[in-house]
Amino acid sequence: MNKEVGFFNFSLNKILTKEQSILDQARIRLLYYVLWLAIIVVAALQVNIYLDHQYILAFTTGILLFSLLILFKYLTFRPRWGIISHILLVLATMVNLSNVFITLQNVNIVTAQIILLIIVFSFYMLGQTCGLFYSLVNLIPVLLFLVLEYDNDYVIGIKPKVIDESTIIIAICANFALIILMHNYFYAAFVKSIKVLRNTAEERGKLNSELEQVIEKAEKSAQAKSEFLSIMSHEIRTPLNAVIGMSNLLIMGNPRPDQKDNLDILKFSANNLLALVNDVLDFNKIEAGKIVFENISFNLPDLMQNVCGGQRLKAEEKGLEFHLKIDPVLRQKIVFGDPTRLTQIIFNLISNAIKFTHHGNIWVYVSCLEDRHNTVNVNFSVKDTGIGIAKDNLEIIFEPFTQESISTTRQYGGTGLGLAIVKRLLELQGLQIVVSSELGAGSEFSFNMEFPVSTEIVAVSEDKRPLTAGADILSNLRVLIAEDNMVNVMLMKKLFSKWGITPTIAENGERAIEMVQYGNFDIILMDLQMPVLNGFDAAVEIRKMRDPKKANIPIIALTASALFDIKERVFNSGMNDYVSKPFKPDELREKMQNLIVPIG
Ligand code: ADP
């Protein structure tokens, strides 16, 4: 921004500002001194010419002097160097051409100097295009004048003036002074500009390397945080596994009613702690950009039934009515997508709906918005008649570790991570969650998701066999458990004894391979993180065995670590299935039943 200066300002410093570039400052400075010098010189010339009784010339120099004074005032009032330079150049061109063609009708050293001045001035002040323009406008007519061999016919009918020597000397000196002045200022400005550029480049280089160091540090600390979280979570999950497993066992052992109440609380709290650890772990993984979405085929109605099964019980225990409505169009379809992540999203939304509703209904709608040839666009909506959310909070509830208010934490618990995970999981797939809610009336969370459709037709689903019947199949099964944690071993032994099984234990992967080599087993339960040889490598070795019976023994991985990405590694190393520790006894039993070929 230009400083505002008063009309009576004559100082150069007041018209120079920090915002002007070094070159522009040089231009203004140059104009200032050029005008000064020109005014003095033209005034001196005029006096000289006047004393020489050249009144017409004195009149024209008088006009020139007046114009220079006005330009000087304009410059010191508003430093518009571009306009002023143009005006000066037009004046100089007029002086030059009128000298050559009218006044002197001759080309002398002063003409050459003036042309040189115009060339230098126009290039420095106005750049290449204007420089060329003014140079040619002045040069071509003068050259023509010389080439046309002036033959003593006056160009116009006026006799040329004879200028006395002193005037010519003043003009020559002044012109040289101007040429030196111009080069002096511009040379200084160019050198300064180059220095500034060099310094800026050096500073930028320094900044860049500092920035790189900071980024590297940040990346390292993010990695360290993420590693710390996964190690911690593993360390927490292992003893939690024991706590939940033990409470399961104790509950199965027909405790007294008062003991059962305590055990239920113990199990509930341990499960809550586990959910919290899982949430932190999962959010950490999403933030670290480590989420890879699967694209496998599944049946949407089946998935929804599975997700809603447990949730319906929870809702009904709380006295709520639970409704699941699935569009019949979707019944016959097999779609492609990531069932695990979809389950996680729906599960979180329904859990919240149940948590924040004291009476009334929970509705889960799955509606087909569009059924095209090879894709379906599905709308998922979870609606409740719960406490609702204030309008102002509808956005912040999706922030990590944020709940509606402090009283929410006190009354309902939770970490405030559920919706942050839901939102990010959807966003990573290019989708958006929509929420509408009214305080005291209820809330609705919904989103649309598009699925490619398989050409497969869904077979009419068979009724699943009741699990209890499986106990007989399992009894006397030869089970090898590869597990290094003694508490887990004890827990599993107790659990298996209830199913009539006495498992064999291998304390690490290497022992497990030896035992499979020399013994006979129907199924292996393989912990993944073990000393000496881990579960993945042990499974790979077993699958390489010569005896096809041994090489094909069903293996179920027992995993306590990060929830979802482990799945691919489990299958890649040849294992058949996996259960996440702390596993539910029913889940493990069902997976074992599915894998073993009935004996006999
Ligand atoms: P958490 O459930 O652990 O508190 P969430 O991220 O899942 O964390 O939810 C954040 C907040 O959003 C909740 O604490 C609650 O205040 C509000 N909220 C989420 N779902 C509902 C709902 N269905 N009804 C009312 N409030 C809700």
Side-chain angles (χ1 to χ4, degrees):
M1 238 179 55
N2 276 339
K3 287 185 270 187
E4 284 294 316
V5 289
F7 183 75
F8 293 103
N9 169 58
F10 290 100
S11 149
L12 172 64
N13 286 337
K14 286 198 177 155
I15 51 175
L16 292 176
T17 64
K18 278 186 188 155
E19 286 79 24
Q20 291 153 349
S21 70
I22 294 172
L23 280 182
D24 286 353
Q25 284 185 355
R27 286 182 173 118
I28 293 169
R29 210 171 265 136
L30 178 70
L31 265 184
Y32 185 85
Y33 291 115
V34 162
L35 284 170
W36 250 122
L37 194 66
I39 288 167
I40 293 168
V41 172
V42 174
L45 278 177
Q46 200 194 12
V47 173
N48 211 23
I49 293 165
Y50 185 78
L51 294 178
D52 202 25
H53 305 291
Q54 307 252 18
Y55 299 116
I56 300 177
L57 256 183
F59 178 71
T60 48
T61 42
I63 292 178
L64 188 62
L65 185 62
F66 183 66
S67 313
L68 289 174
L69 284 170
I70 290 179
L71 286 179
F72 184 74
K73 181 61 252 156
Y74 186 42
L75 178 76
T76 49
F77 179 52
R78 294 282 176 264
R80 309 230 162 95
W81 50 267
I83 303 171
I84 297 172
S85 304
H86 275 295
I87 298 173
L88 265 181
L89 281 163
V90 170
L91 284 176
T93 305
M94 277 161 56
V95 168
N96 179 37
L97 296 184
S98 68
N99 266 351
V100 174
F101 288 94
I102 306 168
T103 327
L104 305 176
Q105 298 183 27
N106 192 8
V107 173
N108 59 15
I109 181 168
V110 179
T111 320
Q113 272 189 322
I114 292 179
I115 292 177
L116 196 63
L117 257 176
I118 289 174
I119 293 173
V120 174
F121 186 81
S122 59
F123 270 96
Y124 279 169
M125 295 301 293
L126 299 172
Q128 205 175 14
T129 317
C130 292
L132 270 177
F133 172 75
Y134 285 109
S135 304
L136 295 179
V137 164
N138 281 277
L139 209 54
I140 292 173
V142 174
L143 289 178
L144 274 177
F145 183 90
L146 289 173
V147 173
L148 286 178
E149 287 282 315
Y150 179 60
D151 57 0
N152 282 337
D153 276 343
Y154 304 126
V155 176
I156 57 167
I158 308 173
K159 260 183 123 181
K161 297 275 175 280
V162 180
I163 307 286
D164 75 306
E165 223 163 273
S166 60
T167 309
I168 291 183
I169 290 171
I170 295 176
I172 290 175
C173 290
N175 285 345
F176 274 131
L178 280 175
I179 291 174
I180 292 169
L181 199 70
M182 269 183 219
H183 283 300
N184 174 47
Y185 277 114
F186 270 88
Y187 179 77
F190 282 134
V191 170
K192 203 169 167 191
S193 285
I194 290 167
K195 256 191 203 160
V196 169
L197 276 180
R198 201 184 301 142
N199 287 349
T200 317
E202 268 170 25
E203 265 169 33
R204 198 172 295 159
K206 241 193 229 166
L207 266 180
N208 276 348
S209 69
E210 271 173 26
L211 210 67
E212 270 167 25
Q213 278 173 8
V214 172
I215 290 173
E216 204 178 310
K217 251 191 203 167
E219 274 171 0
K220 268 191 194 155
S221 84
Q223 204 180 337
K225 181 195 100 184
S226 145
E227 274 165 21
F228 170 76
L229 277 174
S230 22
I231 292 169
M232 276 303 290
S233 71
H234 181 252
E235 296 307 313
I236 295 171
R237 284 169 62 100
T238 309
L240 256 184
N241 176 25
V243 174
I244 294 174
M246 278 299 178
S247 33
N248 272 334
L249 275 177
L250 290 171
I251 291 169
M252 283 162 84
N254 294 327
R256 291 196 316 261
D258 60 320
Q259 285 175 328
K260 183 162 183 307
D261 286 348
N262 291 344
L263 285 171
D264 281 342
I265 293 171
L266 177 69
K267 192 178 156 189
F268 176 79
S269 305
N271 274 327
N272 265 354
L273 187 55
L274 182 69
L276 196 147
V277 171
N278 287 346
D279 270 359
V280 171
L281 203 80
D282 229 22
F283 186 73
N284 178 44
K285 211 187 310 159
I286 294 174
E287 290 292 277
K290 284 191 189 154
I291 291 278
V292 181
F293 289 93
E294 279 187 318
N295 195 23
I296 54 174
S297 61
F298 64 96
N299 179 253
L300 204 48
D302 280 357
L303 178 131
M304 290 306 297
Q305 295 287 2
N306 285 340
V307 181
C308 293
Q311 300 285 55
R312 181 190 296 276
L313 286 180
K314 253 202 242 166
E316 283 167 1
E317 266 172 25
K318 229 181 142 180
L320 306 171
E321 277 184 44
F322 189 97
H323 316 268
L324 168 63
K325 295 227 159 68
I326 303 174
D327 202 322
V329 176
L330 297 167
R331 291 248 152 86
Q332 303 299 315
K333 293 197 191 309
I334 293 282
V335 296
F336 285 96
D338 190 330
T340 319
R341 292 299 172 184
L342 184 59
T343 303
Q344 194 181 3
I345 293 168
I346 305 278
F347 188 89
N348 263 324
L349 295 179
I350 301 178
S351 297
N352 275 349
I354 296 172
K355 186 155 89 172
F356 295 108
T357 304
H358 299 299
H359 36 76
N361 298 279
I362 310 284
W363 293 275
V364 180
Y365 295 108
V366 183
S367 359
C368 181
L369 298 177
E370 246 181 304
D371 180 9
R372 275 180 255 129
H373 170 59
N374 49 5
T375 55
V376 279
N377 194 2
V378 181
N379 175 267
F380 297 86
S381 151
V382 178
K383 203 172 160 198
D384 61 57
T385 52
I387 59 170
I389 304 158
K391 252 204 175 83
D392 290 347
N393 294 331
L394 284 178
E395 278 186 20
I396 60 150
I397 53 168
F398 292 102
E399 296 296 319
F401 303 104
T402 309
Q403 300 185 308
E404 231 206 312
S405 66
I406 299 170
S407 67
T408 312
T409 326
R410 233 182 292 124
Q411 209 180 333
Y412 300 95
T415 51
L417 268 179
L419 286 181
I421 291 176
V422 166
K423 184 169 183 239
R424 278 171 177 66
L425 282 179
L426 288 172
E427 275 174 356
L428 286 173
Q429 301 175 78
L431 306 172
Q432 258 191 338
I433 180 126
V434 179
V435 53
S436 60
S437 184
E438 206 179 306
L439 261 184
S443 318
E444 180 174 6
F445 289 83
S446 68
F447 61 94
N448 295 345
M449 197 178 260
E450 203 171 84
F451 299 92
V453 179
S454 160
T455 45
E456 232 177 286
I457 305 284
V458 184
V460 181
S461 61
E462 290 170 33
D463 277 345
K464 283 184 183 150
R465 271 175 292 152
L467 283 175
T468 38
D472 295 336
I473 302 174
L474 291 186
S475 59
N476 297 323
L477 203 67
R478 291 162 300 178
V479 178
L480 173 67
I481 299 176
E483 167 70 82
D484 62 314
N485 184 309
M486 277 310 121
V487 181
N488 285 345
V489 169
M490 194 175 82
L491 200 75
M492 290 177 90
K493 274 186 172 168
K494 282 200 172 180
L495 177 68
F496 277 60
S497 72
K498 290 193 188 297
W499 297 337
I501 297 172
T502 313
T504 307
I505 308 298
E507 62 273 18
N508 61 49
E510 204 174 78
R511 282 286 295 148
I513 296 172
E514 280 170 20
M515 285 180 168
V516 174
Q517 223 145 26
Y518 302 111
N520 284 316
F521 296 99
D522 302 311
I523 193 162
I524 303 171
L525 302 184
M526 183 79 82
D527 183 30
L528 294 179
Q529 277 154 317
M530 285 183 290
V532 190
L533 190 70
N534 69 37
F536 298 109
D537 296 339
V540 170
E541 291 305 316
I542 292 170
R543 290 290 177 248
K544 281 192 212 156
M545 285 181 178
R546 285 220 185 127
D547 182 347
K549 232 173 126 193
K550 292 187 174 175
N552 291 316
I553 299 176
I555 306 177
I556 296 180
L558 306 172
T559 155
S561 76
L563 306 175
F564 295 103
D565 58 352
I566 215 84
K567 209 163 145 185
E568 207 180 320
R569 282 187 69 197
V570 163
F571 292 124
N572 284 346
S573 49
M575 291 184 255
N576 304 71
D577 208 341
Y578 70 96
V579 284
S580 289
K581 288 194 277 184
F583 49 79
K584 298 180 187 81
D586 281 349
E587 186 193 355
L588 177 62
R589 195 167 59 183
E590 191 184 350
K591 293 205 168 183
M592 285 170 63
Q593 276 175 14
N594 288 342
L595 283 174
I596 51 154
V597 184
I599 308 164

